[in-house]
């Protein structure tokens, strides 16, 4: 009798553990608990590093698909989602604001939620979704019509939902939310439509908004429904009323470092692209903004491209790491420069190009933190005396506006001390045009054509030393790289538009494995353990901004097929 009672108590305790839900501590420990993947970035710092070594160079020739699950239907397009794994389930989002719950071991579909999108949504760069967030027994994700929705992990039923912004004004949402201390923190998308960037924090269990922080100077922030100070100083870096439609969207989402208590969000281009109508630095666009998660106030900012005239944006992820006994942050910017910044103070420590050609600046002044601009490489003013009023002087700029690196997240290995950066070599012809703001309409004021810089490659996976700026090794790719990176033990994993998931030695760059997924990979891989075995997953499905905006580059990859499949692998014994 005692034995049966003890067995029953053990079973009850195990059931309670299994259904306890995701806690703040579990999220904080995600990077060091490889039995699950609870956050976008495999840890709130975003390092995308796993200590697992069950998949290694010795055994990788036996790495084999164990299941594949199709998203199905006609809704293909770009698949940029990073899966999450918890309690034996995989949660993975898909194009057109869909989310699936799967059995992580078999791929069996447990439930699907398909958001009903209204007519007239305006995503600039494909109908993508980059992933979800987990908290308690909720899985939380955003939609293309700028809503945030919390679903029950077991049933897929809606628990709460809220509106982030007005999709009819050009807002959308594509990022994975960030959860910190019981708050679900989101940005917004829509920088090409004259929106105003913002970071919002809600109670993760109820959806009730706690604070908001605009990322364009002059707009008011709120805390618990009360005014909490404007961002920056009105008209300090924006002329007239241009700040009212200033862009600066926070479309890639954020990272968080528990040692600083700060959330880090990158901000997008200022609006419009035509920089001559908004003279000034245009804070806080094209920047990294560090926000105190307790009150939503900006602790510091660093602007990579003041008065951005090339759509270089600044939204790329800020990954925190330890270097020389200090907590630092690293960012590979679309403008072609790699920045190393003190994560607590925002002081620039180092900056160097990570691509072969940057025509807009000759370098970064480490004392002032400002770029050394090349004035002749800024697109001309269409209203200048030597222009015809319809088109300003065209220039050839590198990188192109799709960037030295775009949405595809890089990874960091504390074992090698290297960052693994999926980069691209391309330029653009760009010119300015007159523009007037109209709600919900594109707000560019520029024209462009993307062109590759070299005949033999566009993409390059580069292993970069943040201390020296030196490239330890690189692997070139004919098509542009658009998928993220994972480091697992001594191996680096990444995907290519040609459909391959690849692996290389993290120290040497020697390629050791590849698998053809059937469609381009534009998403980051993940790895975890279950029942004592290590699994590796990636979403395959060609799309994103390149086929939509890529000019001559898009023509080079127009043979690629769309798709929508989750592939999962393990080493077969």
């Amino acid at each position: 009798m005692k034995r049966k009672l003890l067995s029953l108590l053990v079973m009850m305790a195990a059931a309670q553990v299994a259904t306890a839900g995701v806690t703040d501590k579990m999220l904080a420990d995600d990077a060091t608990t490889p039995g699950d993947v609870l956050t976008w970035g495999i840890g709130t710092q975003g390092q995308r590093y796993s200590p697992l070594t069950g998949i290694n160079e010795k055994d990788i020739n036996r790495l084999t698909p164990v299941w594949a699950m199709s998203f199905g239907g006609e809704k293909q397009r770009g698949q940029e989602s990073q899966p999450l794994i918890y309690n034996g389930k995989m949660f993975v989002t898909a194009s057109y604001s869909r989310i699936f719950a799967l059995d992580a071991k078999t791929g069996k579909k447990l439930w699907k939620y398909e958001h009903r999108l209204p007519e007239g949504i305006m995503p600039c760069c494909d109908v993508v979704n980059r992933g979800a967030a987990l908290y308690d027994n909720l899985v939380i994700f955003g939609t293309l019509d700028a809503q945030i929705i919390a679903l029950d992990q077991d049933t897929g039923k809606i628990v709460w939902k809220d509106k982030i912004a007005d999709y009819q004004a050009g807002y959308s949402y594509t990022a994975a939310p960030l959860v910190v201390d019981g708050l679900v923190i989101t940005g917004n998308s829509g920088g090409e439509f004259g929106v105003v960037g913002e970071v919002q924090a809600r109670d993760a269990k109820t959806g009730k908004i706690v604070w908001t922080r605009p990322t364009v100077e002059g707009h008011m922030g709120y805390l618990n429904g009360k005014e909490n100070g404007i961002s920056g100083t009105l008209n300090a870096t924006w002329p007239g009323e241009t700040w009212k439609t200033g862009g600066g969207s926070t479309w890639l989402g954020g990272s968080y470092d528990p040692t600083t208590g700060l959330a880090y969000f990158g901000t997008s281009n200022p609006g419009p692209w035509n920089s001559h109508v908004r003279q000034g630095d245009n804070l806080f666009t094209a920047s990294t903004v560090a926000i105190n998660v307790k009150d939503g106030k900006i602790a510091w900012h660093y602007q990579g491209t003041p008065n951005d005239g090339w759509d270089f944006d600044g939204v790329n992820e800020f990954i925190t790491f330890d270097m020389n006994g200090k907590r630092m942050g690293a960012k590979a910017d679309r403008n072609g420069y790699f920045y190393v910044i003190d994560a607590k103070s925002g002081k620039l420590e180092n900056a160097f190009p990570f691509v072969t050609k940057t025509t807009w600046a000759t370098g970064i002044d480490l004392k002032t933190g400002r770029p050394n601009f090349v004035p002749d490489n800024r697109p001309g003013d269409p209203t200048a005396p030597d222009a015809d009023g319809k088109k300003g002087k065209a220039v050839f700029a590198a990188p192109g506006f799709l960037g030295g690196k775009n949405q595809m997240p890089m990874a960091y290995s504390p074992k090698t001390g290297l960052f693994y950066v999926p980069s691209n070599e391309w330029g653009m012809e760009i010119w300015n045009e007159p523009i007037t703001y109209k709600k919900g309409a594109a707000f560019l004021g520029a024209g462009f054509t993307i062109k590759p810089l070299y005949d033999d490659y566009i993409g390059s996976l580069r292993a970069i030393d943040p201390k020296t700026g030196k490239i330890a090794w690189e692997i070139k790719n004919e098509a542009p790289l658009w998928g993220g990176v994972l480091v697992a033990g001594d191996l680096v994993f990444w995907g290519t538009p040609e459909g391959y998931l690849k692996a290389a030695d993290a120290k040497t760059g020697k390629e050791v494995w590849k698998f053809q997924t059937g469609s381009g990979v534009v998403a980051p891989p993940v790895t975890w353990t279950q029942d004592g075995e290590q699994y590796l997953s990636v979403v395959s499905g060609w799309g994103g901004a390149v086929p939509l905006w890529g000019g001559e580059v898009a023509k080079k990859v127009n043979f690629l097929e769309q798709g929508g499949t989750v592939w999962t692998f393990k080493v077969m014994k």
Side-chain angles (χ1 to χ4, degrees):
M1 184 70 178
K2 287 182 179 179
R3 221 175 259 178
K4 287 184 178 179
L5 181 60
L6 180 62
S7 177
L8 181 62
L9 289 172
V10 169
M11 289 174 62
M12 289 174 65
Q16 284 182 333
V17 170
T19 59
V22 176
T23 65
D24 291 310
K25 186 178 188 309
M26 291 166 66
L27 294 173
D29 294 342
D30 190 32
T32 57
T33 54
D36 49 35
V37 178
L38 305 180
T39 58
W40 191 84
I42 315 180
T44 59
Q45 292 175 242
Q47 292 185 357
R48 298 188 176 274
Y49 172 80
S50 171
L52 292 174
T53 58
I55 301 173
N56 53 61
E57 190 169 343
K58 179 183 176 182
D59 297 330
I60 200 166
N61 63 326
R62 292 186 280 114
L63 186 62
T64 307
V66 291
W67 61 260
M69 197 285 298
S70 171
F71 293 139
E74 298 177 358
K75 295 180 176 179
Q76 302 295 322
R77 303 286 288 272
Q79 310 293 349
E80 295 181 356
S81 176
Q82 180 219 286
L84 301 176
I85 294 93
Y86 170 63
N87 197 24
K89 298 185 182 74
M90 175 183 288
F91 302 96
V92 58
T93 60
S95 56
Y96 290 97
S97 304
R98 295 172 290 166
I99 185 168
F100 296 76
L102 312 173
D103 184 305
K105 198 169 184 178
T106 67
K108 178 184 177 181
K109 185 171 72 176
L110 304 175
W111 55 257
K112 174 179 76 169
Y113 173 81
E114 190 166 357
H115 184 64
R116 188 170 183 176
L117 290 167
E119 296 290 332
I121 57 171
M122 289 173 278
C124 92
C125 307
D126 208 354
V127 289
V128 300
N129 189 288
R130 296 184 181 88
L134 300 177
Y135 193 70
D136 197 48
N137 197 42
L138 302 175
V139 54
I140 307 166
F141 83 119
T143 65
L144 287 167
D145 59 342
Q147 294 192 52
I148 182 168
I149 300 174
L151 307 172
D152 185 284
Q153 290 179 13
D154 298 318
T155 65
K157 301 296 183 184
I158 295 175
V159 176
W160 60 260
K161 67 177 179 179
D162 198 16
K163 178 180 175 181
I164 293 173
D166 178 11
Y167 76 90
Q168 292 178 315
Y171 289 91
S172 56
Y173 188 76
T174 55
L178 171 69
V179 177
V180 177
D181 294 342
L183 297 175
V184 56
I185 306 174
T186 57
N188 60 18
S189 303
E192 273 62 59
F193 295 92
V195 305
V196 173
E198 189 171 70
V199 179
Q200 300 177 349
R202 291 172 172 80
D203 184 299
K205 290 187 177 182
T206 67
K208 181 182 178 182
I209 201 151
V210 176
W211 55 257
T212 64
R213 174 50 52 194
T215 52
V216 173
E217 195 171 59
H219 294 268
M220 180 63 71
Y222 291 87
L223 175 64
N224 296 320
K226 298 179 180 178
E227 291 186 351
N228 193 31
I230 66 170
S231 299
T233 302
L234 180 63
N235 287 138
T237 64
W238 293 84
E241 296 189 344
T242 54
W243 59 278
K244 292 183 177 180
T245 51
S249 63
T250 44
W251 58 261
L252 193 59
S255 58
Y256 171 76
D257 193 293
T259 68
T260 65
L262 300 175
Y264 305 94
F265 278 77
T267 63
S268 81
N269 57 284
W273 287 18
N274 183 343
S275 62
H276 298 279
V277 301
R278 44 171 175 78
Q279 295 293 327
D281 282 357
N282 308 140
L283 291 175
F284 294 90
T285 67
S287 300
T288 295
V289 178
I291 301 175
N292 190 311
V293 297
K294 295 187 183 301
D295 60 13
K297 290 195 171 183
I298 296 175
W300 59 259
H301 75 276
Y302 177 81
Q303 188 173 44
T305 316
N307 193 227
D308 181 7
W310 304 267
D311 187 39
F312 282 150
D313 217 307
V315 80
N316 288 4
E317 71 280 4
F318 187 82
I319 298 175
T320 55
F321 69 109
D322 291 322
M323 188 178 85
N324 298 332
K326 296 174 67 176
R327 186 56 56 97
M328 308 301 293
K331 177 178 182 176
D333 203 292
R334 267 169 60 178
N335 67 20
Y337 284 89
F338 191 103
Y339 298 89
V340 181
I341 298 171
D342 187 300
K344 186 174 182 179
S345 69
K347 181 181 181 295
L348 180 66
E349 296 288 336
N350 200 5
F352 48 83
F354 65 95
V355 293
T356 63
K357 193 171 186 178
T358 56
T359 63
W360 67 280
T362 58
I364 309 299
D365 187 321
L366 296 182
K367 291 183 178 180
T368 66
R370 296 181 68 84
N372 299 315
F373 284 108
V374 178
D376 288 343
N377 196 251
R378 182 177 292 273
D381 184 352
T383 66
D386 59 346
D388 61 5
K390 297 179 181 178
K391 181 178 178 180
K393 182 191 73 171
V395 299
F396 184 80
F401 78 90
L402 291 176
K405 193 184 83 65
N406 200 283
Q407 63 84 25
M408 53 282 194
M410 63 183 181
Y412 172 74
S413 169
K415 288 185 72 174
T416 65
L418 300 174
F419 280 88
Y420 300 90
V421 183
S423 62
N424 289 306
E425 297 288 350
W426 43 24
M428 64 180 173
E429 184 181 15
I430 182 170
W431 60 90
N432 286 325
E433 301 166 347
I435 185 68
T436 302
Y437 172 76
K438 181 181 179 182
K439 180 182 176 181
F443 194 47
L444 299 185
F448 50 84
T449 302
I450 296 281
K451 299 178 181 180
L453 293 182
Y454 306 109
D455 293 332
D456 58 335
Y457 79 104
I458 298 172
S460 175
L461 179 67
R462 291 177 169 137
I464 296 175
D465 186 331
K467 294 181 181 180
T468 65
K470 292 183 178 179
I471 296 174
W473 55 259
E474 70 174 321
I475 299 174
K476 295 177 180 179
N477 196 73
E478 183 178 2
L481 294 182
W482 209 254
V485 182
L486 165 73
V487 183
D490 296 319
L491 295 177
V492 180
F493 294 88
W494 77 105
T496 74
E498 293 91 340
Y500 288 103
L501 177 63
K502 293 187 173 187
D505 184 291
K507 291 182 180 178
T508 67
K510 176 188 174 185
E511 286 193 50
V512 297
W513 179 84
K514 67 179 179 180
F515 176 84
Q516 176 57 251
T517 67
S519 184
V521 178
V522 293
V526 295
T527 190
W528 77 99
T529 57
Q530 189 166 333
D531 299 330
E533 295 183 295
Q534 183 178 350
Y535 291 83
L536 175 77
S537 283
V538 74
V539 178
S540 170
W542 170 242
V546 175
L548 296 175
W549 295 74
E552 293 182 15
V553 170
K555 294 176 185 177
K556 287 176 69 76
V557 291
N558 62 7
F559 64 93
L560 299 174
E561 299 294 341
Q562 293 184 357
T565 302
V566 186
W567 288 91
T568 297
F569 306 81
K570 73 175 183 179
V571 172
M572 302 301 286
K573 297 177 180 177

